[in-house]
């Protein structure tokens, strides 16, 4: 199944996820989860409310990346998941130390 990314019409927090999916070769589509009209971007409060009521949005946040049966809403959690899935997550402490200067890496 193709990954699905739900976000507003813009780059913002979803752009780093899109860039990582492109770098990994992961196929995805911009699609609003649970929207029967096939909308590609969030545009109404009702769309957000439907996802929140369905329990798709931990912390009631977007972007929402639906991939491999997961609903990931933290952008860096999604990026790290994709990196691990595609063998790009480096475990060397030197590299992790440098990366943590940009974004804290959980231990």
């Amino acid at each position: 199944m193709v990954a699905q990314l739900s976000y507003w019409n813009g780059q913002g927090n979803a752009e780093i996820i899109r860039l990582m999916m492109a770098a990994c070769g992961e196929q995805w589509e911009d699609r609003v989860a649970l929207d029967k009209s096939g909308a590609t971007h969030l545009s109404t409060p009702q769309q957000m409310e439907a996802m929140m009521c369905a329990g798709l949005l931990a912390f009631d946040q977007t972007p929402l990346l639906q991939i491999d049966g997961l609903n990931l809403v933290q952008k860096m959690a999604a990026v790290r998941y994709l990196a691990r899935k595609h063998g790009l997550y480096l475990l060397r402490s030197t590299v992790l130390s440098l990366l943590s200067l940009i974004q804290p890496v959980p231990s």
Side-chain angles (χ1 to χ4, degrees), residues 4-21:
Q4 198 170 324
L5 185 63
S6 299
Y7 197 60
W8 307 99
N9 189 12
Q11 297 172 334
N13 287 328
E15 194 60 15
I16 191 168
I17 298 171
R18 288 186 187 105
L19 291 170
M20 187 61 162
M21 287 191 289

Side-chain angles (χ1 to χ4, degrees), residues 34 49-57:
L34 305 178
E49 189 170 329
M51 291 189 295
M52 288 167 38
C53 290
L56 295 180
L57 302 178

Side-chain angles (χ1 to χ4, degrees), residues 6-8 13 34 42 44-65 71-75:
S6 299
Y7 197 60
W8 307 99
N13 287 328
L34 305 178
L42 288 166
T44 68
Q46 292 80 13
Q47 291 168 324
M48 269 297 282
E49 189 170 329
M51 291 189 295
M52 288 167 38
C53 290
L56 295 180
L57 302 178
F59 315 113
D60 295 336
Q61 295 178 342
T62 60
L64 167 64
L65 177 62
N71 295 315
L72 302 172
V73 294
Q74 295 285 325
K75 67 181 175 185

